Amino acid sequence: MPAPPFDPEPLLARIRQRAAVIARPIRIMEVCGTHTHAIGRSGLRSLMPPNIELVSGPGCPVCVTSQSDIERILILARRPGLTLCTFGDMVRVPGLTSSLERERSAGADIRVVYSAMEALELAGREDGREVVFLAVGFETTSPGVASLILQADHQGVANLSFFISHKLIVPAMEAVLQGGSRIDGFLAPGHVSVIIGPEAYEGLAIRYSVPCVVTGFEPADVLEAIVMLLDCIVEGRPGSFVQYARAVKPGGNRRAWEMLTRVFDITDAEWRGLGVIPRSGLTLKPAFTRFDAAERYPLPEMPSVQPPGCRCGDVLRGLIHPPECPLFRQECTPRNPVGPCMVSSEGSCAARYTYG
């Protein structure tokens, strides 16, 4: 027999009861862009009590890629004899004067792939061309790129390199707390936590007295995680907790993390809206720098000048909601995006535009 339809009312009643006990305004940040869209699609924001505010965070990898990296990627795309491989969302992210979509229309060889492995296969088929893969994402995707680099190294592939723009999520959460946004609890990302494990948030939670609950992506998951966060706030109990126990295990995926640390070193990284965050990015270890596109094709340093009027950075920091940006639904729409938060399938502006 099919499962009965989900009834949110029991969980919502528990949320209302705890919200009444707390009384003061509570701000809960969903870090992950997939959570942002799940919350929007399910209408969960509108179901919260008046003193419970759900705000979006910096968990969209396309959105947090710095403007300087976008400009350098565009320079790379114009290089003759080079094929640039990227996931689909990056194609439409606007630079100051162009985008990968426009460069492709002008003749650049830019290919949308669904797996990093496709870049390795392309380099094998077209050994007369240079192939560059845009390595963008958090701990969810970086182990896969590490595995690909190890495979390319083993096979002696000479015409494949990577533009590394990988980020680490926990330093960004700390930067949000240090940057003036009052957050009372985090809905921690499920996919990332499968790799890093729930223990990764414990130090942050204790230092800032902010509970973190790793949650899944169904409405029931999110509502249950909000109940867990409110319980922690009522009881004054910071720490890292797991709602998404069916996927997230203690210690995370050690094999994936070992592969990541075999290929990458941790380094400072620039984030859109958050500036340079210490030890928040990845760079190739010296043994693998021959696969670094920025080393193979020297690229100039570019300023991170934001599009005029765009407040995507403030959205990523949890300082404003998307409709508070003056460009939202005016100059900036999914058809004509000004900033990456309106481009990405995980972007909070795109979610708010789509779901209201």
Side-chain angles (χ1 to χ4, degrees), residues 35 38 42 44 215-223 246:
H35 281 147
S42 305
L44 297 187
T215 186
F217 303 95
E218 297 299 323
D221 293 327
V222 176
L223 290 175
R246 62 186 183 272

Side-chain angles (χ1 to χ4, degrees), residues 205-351:
I206 299 302
R207 279 196 304 278
Y208 294 91
S209 295
V210 176
C212 302
V213 174
V214 179
T215 186
F217 303 95
E218 297 299 323
D221 293 327
V222 176
L223 290 175
E224 185 177 6
I226 292 172
V227 171
M228 294 171 66
L229 281 175
L230 296 179
D231 282 344
C232 291
I233 293 169
V234 168
E235 298 164 13
R237 182 166 46 95
S240 177
F241 308 94
V242 180
Q243 181 278 331
Y244 197 30
R246 62 186 183 272
V248 176
K249 308 302 178 185
N253 187 326
R254 292 184 177 88
R255 184 176 179 184
W257 189 253
E258 287 167 1
M259 187 176 298
L260 186 152
T261 55
R262 182 178 169 188
V263 172
F264 294 110
D265 284 325
I266 296 176
T267 186
D268 301 346
E270 184 181 2
W271 297 58
R272 184 182 299 272
L274 296 169
V276 176
I277 304 176
R279 297 184 59 77
S280 67
L282 298 176
T283 187
L284 289 171
K285 286 182 178 292
F288 300 103
T289 52
R290 66 185 179 280
F291 292 108
D292 189 342
E295 293 286 334
R296 186 175 296 190
Y297 314 105
L299 297 169
E301 291 297 324
M302 303 293 291
S304 274
V305 179
Q306 304 304 313
C310 176
R311 297 191 65 187
C312 181
D314 290 338
V315 171
L316 293 168
R317 293 161 62 198
L319 294 176
I320 66 170
H321 291 285
E324 295 175 73
C325 175
L327 305 185
F328 183 78
R329 286 188 181 274
Q330 304 301 318
E331 292 91 336
C332 187
T333 67
R335 186 180 293 275
N336 183 39
V338 175
C341 293
M342 188 63 87
V343 174
S344 173
S345 60
E346 296 186 355
S348 40
C349 292

